[in-house]
Amino acid sequence: MTATPPVSGATDSLAGLFLRSEERYPARPALVAGGRIVTYTELGEAAERLAACIRRNAPADAPPLTAVLARRSVTAFVGLLAAAMAGHAY
């Protein structure tokens, strides 16, 4: 397996970089944790579901912040990516 080349644009957001990688490499592994391999598509779908929940439930008058408490895992990465996709700091 060859390494995925970096996506250009040092000023891009985490969410933007991820979405471009998901578009370019949908079936490639995006994350390997605890023996589990997750593709860009799988990770993107899970993060977007959680990001939609964050957007729906975040108070309109509150700062865009999301706390993520999880052990190192696929779930933790989904949480961080979802916060970024929702436009929140984590």
Side-chain angles (χ1 to χ4, degrees):
M1 175 184 262
T2 59
T4 302
V7 180
S8 63
T11 60
D12 288 339
S13 68
L14 170 66
L17 290 171
F18 176 81
L19 292 171
R20 284 210 322 250
S21 294
E22 180 184 13
E23 187 176 293
R24 289 172 68 182
Y25 313 110
R28 285 193 186 174
L31 182 64
V32 178
R36 184 173 166 200
I37 300 171
V38 183
T39 66
Y40 278 98
T41 297
E42 293 167 332
L43 184 56
E45 288 172 352
E48 188 51 52
R49 281 191 304 273
L50 184 54
C53 183
I54 292 169
R55 286 186 212 103
R56 248 189 338 270
N57 293 299
D61 60 341
L65 301 172
T66 298
V68 178
L69 176 63
R71 296 180 189 266
R72 288 184 190 183
S73 63
V74 172
T75 302
F77 196 82
V78 168
L80 297 175
L81 185 55
M85 288 178 155
H88 287 211
Y90 52 87

